[in-house]
Amino acid sequence: EVKLVESGGGLVQPGRSLKLSCAASGFSFNDYWMGWVRQAPGKGLEWIGEINQDSSTINYTPSLKDKFTISRDNAQNTLYLQMSKLGSEDTAIYYCASTVVTGYFDYWGQGVMVTVSS
Amino acid sequence: DIRMTQSPASLSASLGETVNIECLASEDIYSDLAWYQQKPGKSPQLLIYNANSLQNGVPSRFSGSGSGTQYSLKINSLQSEDVATYFCQQYNNYPPYTFGAGTKLELK
């Protein structure tokens, strides 16, 4: 069974940094693109970015490129999202997701809440 | 960025009814379109990819169609478990891959 479990969320002060993790199991992590999508409370989905199998290609939504960094550790079957200079607009549920090819996401984690507030 | 305009924003339908949700892209996306279902408090689930390919395990009452800039998701014989918000997503031109704003489907 494919399982994606996000962690690392919580309450963080404006201007601070936070690193999310996504532990993958039940599939060959090395063979999949991985990505992050977020959803502000009561809002729609926002594509953050994606990383290919060997980390040689990482794509970001332009507005977040200077704040967020996606990485992965294939030995640990883990995806990461490093977030910096956080503001209230970054308050959202953050989902990690997998895809065989770049594009649509076929499996999603349950999401982790990040709240940016003083 | 490619803009994805979904309609309607919300709809109410009866059990057994057929429902159609539309997604209009701001430019040709060459059928690089996915549909997701998100039930309240849950993560999105892939229903359709490449505009008309049904994801494994998704009931056959769901179908997708369209080309160019116009796409639609059809739900035949609506069931109670289909109450959810539905999102389209283009993946032809990035970054970013953009989502529609969502269509909230409720039972009448």
Side-chain angles (χ1 to χ4, degrees):
Chain A
E1 178 197 4
V2 172
K3 206 168 181 185
L4 298 170
V5 180
E6 301 94 337
S7 61
L11 177 64
V12 60
Q13 293 180 325
R16 303 297 291 265
S17 299
L18 194 67
K19 188 172 185 176
L20 305 181
S21 300
C22 172
S25 60
F27 67 104
S28 182
F29 184 74
N30 293 7
D31 292 338
Y32 279 69
W33 286 72
M34 298 294 297
W36 291 94
V37 175
R38 70 180 181 181
Q39 186 171 35
K43 302 296 185 182
L45 302 170
E46 180 181 17
W47 189 85
I48 295 172
E50 62 178 4
I51 184 169
N52 73 339
Q53 292 87 341
D54 65 2
S55 305
S56 60
T57 299
I58 308 175
N59 298 304
Y60 298 93
T61 195
S63 62
L64 300 175
K65 187 179 172 67
D66 294 333
K67 286 178 52 166
F68 290 4
T69 302
I70 297 173
S71 62
R72 64 191 293 165
D73 182 341
N74 286 345
Q76 299 293 323
N77 287 353
T78 303
L79 174 72
Y80 300 102
L81 179 65
Q82 176 71 53
M83 305 183 290
S84 63
K85 295 176 272 185
L86 288 165
S88 58
E89 68 278 8
D90 299 312
T91 293
I93 297 171
Y94 285 75
Y95 297 101
C96 76
S98 65
T99 176
V100 175
V101 295
T102 176
Y104 56 88
F105 290 117
D106 46 12
Y107 292 103
W108 297 62
Q110 85 287 352
V112 63
M113 185 70 203
V114 173
T115 303
V116 184
S117 175
S118 55
Chain B
D1 299 1
I2 294 179
R3 293 184 310 278
M4 304 300 292
T5 304
Q6 255 185 266
S7 61
S10 64
L11 78 153
S12 183
S14 301
L15 291 174
E17 197 174 323
T18 295
V19 169
N20 282 286
I21 297 169
E22 309 290 328
C23 198
L24 178 67
S26 59
E27 59 187 80
D28 195 329
I29 57 171
Y30 301 94
S31 297
D32 290 335
L33 184 102
W35 290 96
Y36 300 91
Q37 176 193 65
Q38 186 178 33
K39 296 183 179 181
K42 300 294 185 182
S43 56
Q45 300 294 312
L46 178 67
L47 298 175
I48 302 284
Y49 60 96
N50 295 347
N52 59 16
S53 296
L54 193 68
Q55 172 69 348
N56 288 343
V58 174
S60 58
R61 63 179 180 276
F62 291 91
S63 63
S65 64
S67 62
T69 62
Q70 295 184 298
Y71 299 87
S72 63
L73 173 70
K74 183 178 180 181
I75 310 173
N76 284 319
S77 189
L78 186 69
Q79 306 294 304
S80 58
E81 60 264 33
D82 300 334
V83 169
T85 299
Y86 294 84
F87 296 93
C88 62
Q89 180 212 358
Q90 69 82 19
Y91 47 92
N92 177 257
N93 192 347
Y94 77 128
Y97 289 145
T98 42
F99 292 90
T103 295
K104 188 174 183 180
L105 174 59
E106 297 174 326
L107 281 180
K108 192 180 292 183

